[in-house]
Amino acid sequence: DAMVIQNPRYQVTQFGKPVTLSCSQTLNHNVMYWYQQKSSQAPKLLFHYYDKDFNNEADTPDNFQSRRPNTSFCFLDIRSPGLGDAAMYLCATSGGTSGSSIRHEQYFGPGTRLTVT
Amino acid sequence: AQSVTQLGSHVSVSEGALVLLRCNYSSSVPPYLFWYVQYPNQGLQLLLKYTTGATLVKGINGFEAEFKKSETSFHLTKPSAHMSDAAEYFCAVSDVTGGGNKLTFGTGTQLKVEL
């Protein structure tokens, strides 16, 4: 089945130690998103890639970076994790052409729960 | 900017009872509206969506929602709750940003189903 895959599902890192979260998709969608979801809160968009074009949300901290080496993969890098970065990180994708209704439909992966010690 | 408001952070129903989760939106343009469900330690699963056309939309697991422009609402309903429906439900509105789209979520409603 076509899907969005996130690895690992659970990640523990130390305060200040760089960490990378991975997302892959078999949907061949051209847009990939990263959301941060803190406990008991709604997901919040960090950034997204439209093909190779990177789009950062204005309030996303510089500590968060992303890479998309090809259509299928996208990575979230946290350069110096703080205790406040502990959260569920959700990857999502969408397809279709710009302006189409399909573009608005996002498919989510299972998430990576990040713990910072 | 578009936004959604979910009334009631926690809703409790008996098994077999009607489920009603409320969502109101604010948008200056015709909205694209979604309901997602999230089980513990899982990602978000799309329940249903409203884009254009029929205002009553049916989704998975017996859920449906009605888009009411006059009331700026998109409430989620299910005639008969099942224990497996216990989860967190998010209403969301989609907006264009960059080359993609930004989902703005409500604060979520935790649904509890009791025997």
Side-chain angles (χ1 to χ4, degrees), chain A:
Chain A
D1 287 340
M3 58 178 60
V4 181
I5 302 160
Q6 290 188 245
N7 286 306
R9 294 292 316 278
Y10 299 89
Q11 175 75 56
V12 180
T13 190
Q14 293 178 335
F15 182 94
K17 184 176 182 180
V19 65
T20 295
L21 309 182
S22 169
C23 177
S24 64
Q25 53 125 343
T26 61
L27 297 160
N28 202 33
H29 284 169
N30 51 4
V31 190
M32 295 186 77
Y33 308 80
W34 280 104
Y35 288 82
Q36 179 192 62
Q37 184 181 24
K38 294 188 175 180
S39 183
S40 301
Q41 295 184 21
K44 179 177 176 295
L45 182 65
L46 294 173
F47 29 58
H48 75 277
Y49 272 96
Y50 169 59
D51 289 328
K52 293 184 178 180
D53 294 333
F54 179 69
N55 295 268
N56 199 30
E57 292 297 298
D59 56 356
T60 298
D62 293 339
N63 198 27
F64 292 86
Q65 305 286 319
S66 186
R67 295 170 284 135
R68 188 179 187 187
N70 54 53
T71 300
S72 300
F73 285 86
C74 194
F75 300 98
L76 169 62
D77 300 308
I78 309 177
R79 294 191 296 185
S80 181
L83 297 178
D85 296 327
M88 174 78 89
Y89 290 89
L90 298 165
C91 175
T93 71
S94 66
T97 56
S98 180
S100 71
S101 64
I102 295 174
R103 172 58 60 81
H104 290 269
E105 191 169 326
Q106 294 188 23
Y107 294 84
F108 285 80
T112 295
R113 182 166 295 284
L114 178 69
T115 300
V116 181
T117 61

Side-chain angles (χ1 to χ4, degrees), chain B residues 9 16 28 31 33 46 51 53 67-68 72 77 83 92 96 98 101 112:
Chain B
S9 59
S28 58
L33 293 163
L46 180 65
T51 53
F67 172 68
K68 292 187 176 180
T72 62
T77 61
M83 295 296 289
V96 175
N101 293 79
K112 183 178 180 181

Side-chain angles (χ1 to χ4, degrees), chain A residues 35 37 41-45 90 106 108, chain B residues 2-6 34-36 44 89-94 102-108:
Chain A
Y35 288 82
Q37 184 181 24
Q41 295 184 21
K44 179 177 176 295
L45 182 65
L90 298 165
Q106 294 188 23
F108 285 80
Chain B
Q2 300 185 84
S3 65
V4 292
T5 301
Q6 290 183 241
F34 302 84
W35 276 100
Y36 284 87
L44 278 71
Y89 292 79
F90 290 96
C91 182
V93 62
S94 180
K102 175 179 181 177
L103 282 174
T104 299
F105 292 89
T107 50

